[in-house]
């Protein structure tokens, strides 16, 4: 089993920054990628970014490219999502997820955190 604990959400104004953290514990040796997803009210859960377990490869949704940065502290088994220039449309619950393979669909994630709310006011 792998446990994922997110932190760092909050209420900010448009243009501000937030950093989300996701601490992984347990049988992390089986992990291949770490993902951040988000889900806004009435919308499907969507991929925001993912990073390889080694931290050497990253990928971003077009909507956040240039504004968000995903990174990983291998010593702490913690993944971060630095979110800059936040927009009201970034408002959502942000979830950390762990994958054991290359699949990117939320349905294929092996483990999930409980989520953290990010609210961006205009």
């Amino acid at each position: 089993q792998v446990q994922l604990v997110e932190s760092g959400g909050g209420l900010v104004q448009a243009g501000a920054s937030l950093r989300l953290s996701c601490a992984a514990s347990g049988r992390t040796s089986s992990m291949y990628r770490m993902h951040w997803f988000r889900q806004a009210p009435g919308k499907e859960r969507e991929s925001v970014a993912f990073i390889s377990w080694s931290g050497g490869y990253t990928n971003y949704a077009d909507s956040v490219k240039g504004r968000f940065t995903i990174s990983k502290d291998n010593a702490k088994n913690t993944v971060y999502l630095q979110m800059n220039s936040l927009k009201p449309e970034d408002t959502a619950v942000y979830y950390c997820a762990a994958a054991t393979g290359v699949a990117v669909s939320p349905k294929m994630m092996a483990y999930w955190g409980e989520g953290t709310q990010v609210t961006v006011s205009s």
Side-chain angles (χ1 to χ4, degrees), residues 1-53:
Q1 286 284 5
V2 173
Q3 295 77 41
L4 302 176
V5 179
E6 302 112 330
S7 61
L11 170 63
V12 298
Q13 291 189 329
S17 298
L18 278 175
R19 189 178 79 157
L20 306 182
S21 300
C22 173
S25 61
R27 295 186 62 183
T28 59
S29 59
S30 62
M31 294 301 101
Y32 187 76
R33 286 177 179 168
M34 296 295 294
H35 294 248
W36 284 102
F37 290 86
R38 67 186 181 186
Q39 188 165 19
K43 295 188 176 181
E44 293 188 353
R45 195 166 295 190
E46 64 175 359
S47 176
V48 176
F50 65 82
I51 188 168
S52 60
W53 185 250

Side-chain angles (χ1 to χ4, degrees), residues 53-72:
W53 185 250
S54 68
Y57 177 79
T58 60
N59 184 275
Y60 298 90
D62 288 343
S63 59
V64 305
K65 278 181 182 176
R67 299 188 299 122
F68 291 10
T69 302
I70 189 170
S71 61
K72 186 174 181 288

